[in-house]
Amino acid sequence: MTTWSNLNLQDSASPIMEQLIYFHDHTLMIITMILMIVSYMMISLSFNKYINRYMLEGQLIEVAWTIAPAIILIFIAIPSLRLLYLMDEINNPLITVKTIGHQWYWSYEYSDFNKIEFDSYMMPQDESINIFRLLDVDNRVTLPMNTFVRIIVTAADVLHSWTIPSLGVKADATPGRLNQMSFLINRPGLFYGQCSEICGANHSFMPIVIESITTNNFIK
């Protein structure tokens, strides 16, 4: 999870988030190279004394500064589209969990197991001594690791957004509509998230906690 003075992305806990981090680093490297080249050209232009008052056009340089950005965009677009389709792919999920956003808590339904339902409220501050303040809940979502999970997200009242940054998943919870996404957790642990759509006065007090455990413990 994010800690103090941490400017980087959270450590990945799913293959999708790992690919997102790779894509972020790839794009940031390209942007840094562009920034260095443009900065060098601007500084060199400001210090040299070569001018040509009669120059109206330069066909060669205009072709170059049209083709170069197109090539750079191709290097960004191809991995971006690949990752976009990879995130939308849902293949034979083993577990389906339904998430319903309320003002201001989340409720969950395990439809595969005789429809287990429970509500998840934020822990009060006076009880949060040995836990993370404003981030822990009374009922965590327990899911097995190394298992393909499908999340169906909706809302009962207003717009919400179900987000777990370390898993690379984010879906809008819209009243009257079902949004779905999938992920695979590749390590055990606790993964924290928060509602990412302003939904009212207590928007910042409806956290999300996923507890990843082994498959044997989950079955028990």
Side-chain angles (χ1 to χ4, degrees), residues 38-52:
V38 172
S39 301
Y40 169 75
M41 293 177 68
M42 290 178 66
I43 292 170
S44 63
L45 282 172
S46 62
F47 280 102
N48 70 44
K49 297 182 175 58
Y50 301 110
I51 57 172
N52 186 351

Side-chain angles (χ1 to χ4, degrees), residues 128-178:
S128 57
I129 298 175
N130 297 319
I131 58 177
F132 293 108
R133 177 178 171 270
L134 302 181
L135 278 179
D136 223 319
V137 295
D138 53 0
N139 291 316
R140 296 168 177 166
V141 184
T142 305
L143 293 172
M145 57 183 288
N146 295 325
T147 302
F148 205 65
V149 180
R150 174 174 59 188
I151 294 285
I152 297 175
V153 185
T154 186
D157 35 46
V158 298
L159 290 174
H160 301 276
S161 185
W162 196 85
T163 311
I164 301 288
S166 58
L167 299 179
V169 292
K170 180 178 181 180
D172 288 340
T174 308
R177 176 170 177 167
L178 295 177

Side-chain angles (χ1 to χ4, degrees), residues 1 48 69 79 86 143 149 168 198-199:
M1 60 176 292
N48 70 44
L86 190 65
L143 293 172
V149 180
I198 296 176
C199 55

Side-chain angles (χ1 to χ4, degrees), residues 80-154:
S80 173
L81 290 172
R82 171 185 165 274
L83 184 56
L84 187 65
Y85 283 103
L86 190 65
M87 293 173 67
D88 285 339
E89 191 173 349
I90 298 178
N91 291 323
N92 301 321
L94 298 178
I95 296 175
T96 298
V97 180
K98 186 177 181 181
T99 303
I100 305 170
H102 303 266
Q103 288 181 313
W104 287 272
Y105 65 96
W106 296 98
S107 61
Y108 299 93
E109 298 177 6
Y110 287 80
S111 305
D112 302 322
F113 305 100
N114 296 323
K115 205 170 183 181
I116 301 172
E117 301 178 7
F118 60 90
D119 296 331
S120 180
Y121 289 88
M122 186 190 73
M123 294 285 285
Q125 294 192 43
D126 54 355
E127 298 179 14
S128 57
I129 298 175
N130 297 319
I131 58 177
F132 293 108
R133 177 178 171 270
L134 302 181
L135 278 179
D136 223 319
V137 295
D138 53 0
N139 291 316
R140 296 168 177 166
V141 184
T142 305
L143 293 172
M145 57 183 288
N146 295 325
T147 302
F148 205 65
V149 180
R150 174 174 59 188
I151 294 285
I152 297 175
V153 185
T154 186

Side-chain angles (χ1 to χ4, degrees), residues 198-215:
I198 296 176
C199 55
N202 292 331
H203 155 68
S204 58
F205 301 111
M206 47 184 301
I208 306 157
V209 182
I210 287 183
E211 184 175 0
S212 173
I213 59 177
T214 61
T215 307

